Amino acid sequence: MLKIRLTRSGSKKRPYYHIVVADARAPRDGRFLEKVGSYNPLLEQAHESRIVLKKDRIQHWLSVGALPTDRVEKFLIDAGLVKSTKRVEQ
């Protein structure tokens, strides 16, 4: 099963995340298949490079069955790549 998820990099108290496609069994910061974007939470909301996505590659991975995590799904909804799915919260 493939997941589109975040991997953390950056130094202590200065997080920076790569958006990657990885096997669900791989460690969070471990092996991945492809980098498809980045997320820098330290930049302000309106900054253009806060979230960077390779839209064509993400569409490819979604078409072959990769599932985004909750946080990545929010990014994809904001970018218009996937439709909003209502999830039942427990």
Side-chain angles (χ1 to χ4, degrees), residues 29-63:
D29 297 333
R31 199 171 64 180
F32 60 89
L33 300 173
E34 182 179 0
K35 287 183 186 176
V36 293
S38 62
Y39 168 56
N40 187 350
L42 298 178
L43 295 176
E44 54 197 43
Q45 287 280 353
H47 200 280
E48 61 194 34
S49 61
R50 179 178 168 97
I51 301 171
V52 177
L53 300 171
K54 295 180 184 175
K55 295 180 180 181
D56 58 333
R57 295 306 298 161
I58 291 173
Q59 286 288 17
H60 166 75
W61 286 110
L62 290 172
S63 70

